[in-house]
Amino acid sequence: MKKIALFADVQNLYYTVRQGHGCHFNYAALWADVSREGQIVEALAYAIDRGDSKQQQFQQILRNLGFEVRLKPYIQRADGSAKGDWDVGITLDVIEAAARVDQVVLASGDGDFDLLLERAMQRHGVETVVYGVPGLTALSVIRAASRYVPIEGKLLLR
């Protein structure tokens, strides 16, 4: 059975699904979809911790599905901008997991991950799958992946 590592960029999914479809992402459908490919041996969801109860409930839902939830504090800068980026953390975890699994699944349309996917395939021969919102997923990350799955239909909570 194929061993799979699943990585969910929660912030990217939230904003792109909301912008592209006006609704929320269905993490349970993602889990079911990926599970049909093999056994999910590790699953990480990367989120920003603002400390509110609604977010904590959502994080518990992710944990109940089987995700390990990694949190970073939300940082509001003096100029009004915010910081809460998980790109480096996701990259490190994907590189480590690629040595142990047959497939890496990344739920994010962030083009910063194109080199990561290319390296994971080159160095470890691992299959890479990207889930992203059509029109809001960087073409470079789609090209870098072994397979692209558009976020639509059953992957949406309407």
Side-chain angles (χ1 to χ4, degrees):
M1 180 174 269
K2 189 185 299 186
K3 290 191 282 186
I4 302 170
L6 172 58
F7 302 89
D9 183 350
V10 171
Q11 298 306 112
N12 181 275
L13 292 169
Y14 175 79
Y15 288 108
T16 59
V17 170
R18 189 174 77 177
Q19 181 181 342
H21 297 289
C23 61
H24 293 286
F25 183 65
N26 188 339
Y27 287 87
L30 171 69
W31 192 278
D33 205 41
V34 173
S35 293
R36 282 191 279 282
E37 298 277 321
Q39 179 186 9
I40 300 172
V41 296
E42 56 189 285
L44 293 113
Y46 302 84
I48 303 308
D49 186 12
R50 293 187 175 161
D52 68 71
S53 62
K54 193 172 181 181
Q55 268 197 335
Q56 290 168 345
Q57 290 172 352
F58 167 68
Q59 292 159 8
Q60 190 56 50
I61 289 167
L62 292 175
R63 288 183 187 97
N64 292 345
L65 285 171
F67 284 96
E68 175 185 333
V69 178
R70 301 239 171 123
L71 298 171
K72 268 191 179 181
Y74 176 76
I75 298 169
Q76 184 79 36
R77 295 184 183 122
D79 68 359
S81 64
K83 180 174 178 14
D85 192 307
W86 265 109
D87 288 6
V88 172
I90 292 170
T91 298
L92 292 172
D93 290 341
V94 167
I95 289 296
E96 287 181 9
R100 301 186 296 266
V101 298
D102 305 304
Q103 184 182 81
V104 167
V105 176
L106 177 63
S108 177
D110 189 335
D112 290 340
F113 295 123
D114 56 0
L115 292 174
L116 168 64
L117 297 177
E118 289 171 6
R119 295 262 167 91
M121 284 192 290
Q122 290 168 355
R123 290 192 179 157
H124 302 287
V126 68
E127 180 185 5
T128 57
V129 179
V130 168
Y131 282 74
V133 174
L136 297 174
T137 299
L139 292 177
S140 63
V141 81
I142 292 171
R143 283 193 293 267
S146 307
R147 185 163 47 99
Y148 166 68
V149 179
I151 293 175
E152 54 196 12
K154 68 185 183 304
L155 293 169
L156 303 173
L157 284 174
R158 295 201 183 262

